[in-house]
Amino acid sequence: MEVFVALVVIVVICKILGVSNFVLILGFLGIIELLIILMFLFFVFHTINLIFTKKKTAEFTKIDTSKKGKFKVAFYKIDGEEYPCVFPKESGFSSAYSTEKTYKVRYSKNLKKVYDIWAVATCIVGLIFSITAVAITISIIRNFEYII
């Protein structure tokens, strides 16, 4: 809510200073492009990190909030140590986690976290969609002079 109020205050100040609507829209689109590029870099980081992980056999232990996190994540036990998953649990697939089964996970020594099958799928799909989003927005920006 605070972000929305701050944006409204910024827009009002810009309008008082005489900034045109075109420049405001262009600035808004620039912020969106920056967020798309940051999303792309986020998925590139996790995909590269995923490449350097080691495959391990793990036991699912629980779903809980990690120490530094805000979201509930799946926890897996590897060699007597419990590690959280990199991404939050899939809320629609809570029945996919079973304490009776062992799972193949990818362990990241740098992050001290694991990538389960859902996290691997998130990395792959997120990377594909973010590459597509960056490519589409860059092509729109290149053709922007023809639109005006």
Side-chain angles (χ1 to χ4, degrees):
M1 185 66 178
E2 294 84 13
V3 174
F4 180 72
V5 172
L7 286 174
V8 169
V9 168
I10 290 170
V11 168
V12 168
I13 291 172
C14 287
K15 291 308 289 177
I16 290 171
L17 294 175
V19 177
S20 70
N21 289 340
F22 178 75
V23 172
L24 286 175
I25 291 170
L26 205 58
F28 179 70
L29 292 175
I31 291 171
I32 291 174
E33 180 66 20
L34 180 65
L35 290 174
I36 289 172
I37 291 171
L38 289 174
M39 177 183 68
F40 167 72
L41 293 174
F42 173 80
F43 284 114
V44 165
F45 168 78
H46 278 289
T47 303
I48 290 172
N49 191 39
L50 183 60
I51 292 170
F52 295 106
T53 58
K54 293 188 178 185
K55 188 181 276 188
K56 300 274 189 174
T57 303
E59 299 173 19
F60 170 76
T61 56
K62 64 182 176 181
I63 293 177
D64 199 7
T65 306
S66 64
K67 294 176 185 174
K68 296 179 182 177
K70 297 178 184 175
F71 301 104
K72 291 188 180 238
V73 297
F75 282 84
Y76 293 92
K77 188 179 281 190
I78 302 172
D79 300 328
E81 283 284 322
E82 193 173 63
Y83 299 102
C85 186
V86 173
F87 295 124
K89 77 171 186 74
E90 296 296 324
S91 57
F93 299 108
S94 294
S95 61
Y97 301 103
S98 172
T99 54
E100 288 102 32
K101 292 171 53 176
T102 59
Y103 295 91
K104 298 285 186 192
V105 296
R106 310 284 304 186
Y107 173 65
S108 172
K109 191 167 40 170
N110 295 335
L111 298 176
K112 303 241 186 296
K113 294 183 178 184
V114 298
Y115 290 87
D116 60 6
I117 188 67
W118 302 109
V120 172
T122 300
C123 283
I124 293 168
V125 171
L127 185 64
I128 291 168
F129 280 120
S130 62
I131 288 171
T132 305
V134 168
I136 289 171
T137 55
I138 287 177
S139 71
I140 290 171
I141 290 170
R142 282 191 182 153
N143 294 325
F144 192 67
E145 64 187 57
Y146 302 116
I147 296 172
I148 300 173

